[in-house]
Amino acid sequence: MTGVLRPGHVQIRVFDLEESARFYRDVMGLVETGRDDQGRVYFKCWDERDHNSYIIRQAEEAGIDFFGFKVLNVATLDKLEADLNEYGIETTRMPAGEMLETGERVRFTLPTGHLMELYAEKSAVGNGLSSANPGPWNKASEHGIAPVRLDHMLLYGPNVAANKKIFEDVLGFFLVERVLAEDGEFEAALWLSCSHKVHDIAFVEHPEPGKLHHCSFLMESWEKVLRAGDIMSMNEVSVDIGPTRHGITRGCTIYAWDPSGNRFETFMGGYQPYPDYETITWDWDHFPQGLDYPQRKLHESFLTIVT
Ligand SMILES: [Fe+2]
């Protein structure tokens, strides 16, 4: 991996900052790493090494402000910005320090209406384990749901075909799986990877721009996904679907909502694709299996509720 590395941060809007901070700290089990003078609260998952990955901001409306992918280094950032500009996409630079412990960010708007960023620098604060002879886990890994990392986002918006071209032709992603609409041709949903992960980002065609379906957090095992479900129930968290397994990506999952109605996922599994793999296609008739393999069901809330 030499270009775009991974989803590095996402900023989410919440109604009540302190209630949400408590939720993400004590129920989700993220590590609070800072607050800035704009009133934003910064979190990371316990096993992530960079200063922050999940940021919340108080607002009247829930949803996603922007998301950022980390790239290998500053030279890669400059190159990708030039490539985006050459492709016809306007970019702006967010100054270093505008987000805590984060370098300059190259920001642009996707055809689906989402604000995306690329950045090369974020302070490494470590995962609480030594880099010499580390233990396999620490206390933070046992507090709340405690996912190991922010894994991917699923976003809803119009014109996902144009997003696909940017991710494939400019940013170096490859298409892992897709769902075709009833006509057997139109790509209604796409799962894209820039790594060895089954997806780093996914898009679903939807008339309203800039919508969030979910941010996903990786658990280490199916047992830990089930334990996440226990913690959701103990804390009366609203659950959408699961525990179950998707046919699409083979991910084993639970989806639930934060106190502001932003959906999140706790998941594990999937497989490790390579860029030379043939894209897997789900036709409309098999989409219920793609969504929920054991139950073969199109859950209406899952398909229609976004923030
Ligand atoms: Fe997901």
Side-chain angles (χ1 to χ4, degrees), residues 152 199 214 216 255 265:
H152 62 267
H199 53 332
H214 68 267
S216 185
Y255 291 89
E265 174 182 29

Side-chain angles (χ1 to χ4, degrees), residues 35 75 112 115 126 155 160 186 189 225-226 240 277:
R35 295 187 179 217
T112 48
L115 270 186
L155 305 173
V160 300
F186 183 76
V225 175
L226 296 177
D240 187 6
Y277 277 23

Side-chain angles (χ1 to χ4, degrees), residues 2-173:
T2 53
V4 181
L5 301 181
R6 60 174 177 273
H9 61 235
V10 57
Q11 182 168 306
I12 298 295
R13 297 187 297 269
V14 298
F15 298 141
D16 181 324
L17 192 74
E18 291 311 324
E19 181 197 20
S20 299
R22 261 195 314 279
F23 172 81
Y24 281 109
R25 197 178 49 233
D26 297 332
V27 179
M28 188 64 96
L30 305 185
V31 180
E32 185 178 328
T33 55
R35 295 187 179 217
D36 69 14
D37 52 17
Q38 295 180 42
R40 297 181 289 193
V41 186
Y42 292 67
F43 298 95
K44 68 188 272 296
C45 299
W46 77 268
D47 204 20
E48 289 173 325
R49 287 113 191 269
D50 286 355
H51 179 271
N52 58 73
S53 59
Y54 198 85
I55 298 101
I56 58 172
R57 167 177 87 85
Q58 184 158 308
E60 300 290 309
E61 225 183 304
I64 183 170
D65 280 334
F66 59 84
F67 64 92
F69 273 74
K70 194 174 193 188
V71 305
L72 184 65
N73 52 32
V74 171
T76 305
L77 186 66
D78 294 342
K79 165 86 169 62
L80 287 170
E81 183 175 31
D83 292 348
L84 284 164
N85 295 155
E86 197 180 322
Y87 188 82
I89 296 164
E90 235 177 82
T91 54
T92 53
R93 288 248 175 179
M94 300 297 290
E98 196 277 335
M99 276 178 66
L100 288 184
E101 305 292 329
T102 304
E104 254 190 319
R105 292 129 62 202
V106 170
R107 178 179 273 194
F108 50 100
T109 305
L110 290 169
T112 48
H114 299 93
L115 270 186
M116 176 170 175
E117 300 178 341
L118 302 174
Y119 68 94
E121 295 173 320
K122 202 185 280 287
S123 302
V125 296
N127 57 2
L129 305 172
S130 172
S131 59
N133 317 311
W137 50 270
N138 60 23
K139 222 175 146 193
S141 73
E142 302 222 299
H143 179 69
I145 291 172
V148 290
R149 70 168 183 237
L150 173 69
D151 191 86
H152 62 267
M153 284 84 56
L154 171 56
L155 305 173
Y156 272 40
N159 205 0
V160 300
N163 274 26
K164 179 182 147 185
K165 276 182 73 67
I166 294 165
F167 278 85
E168 284 186 329
D169 299 349
V170 187
L171 300 176
F173 285 58

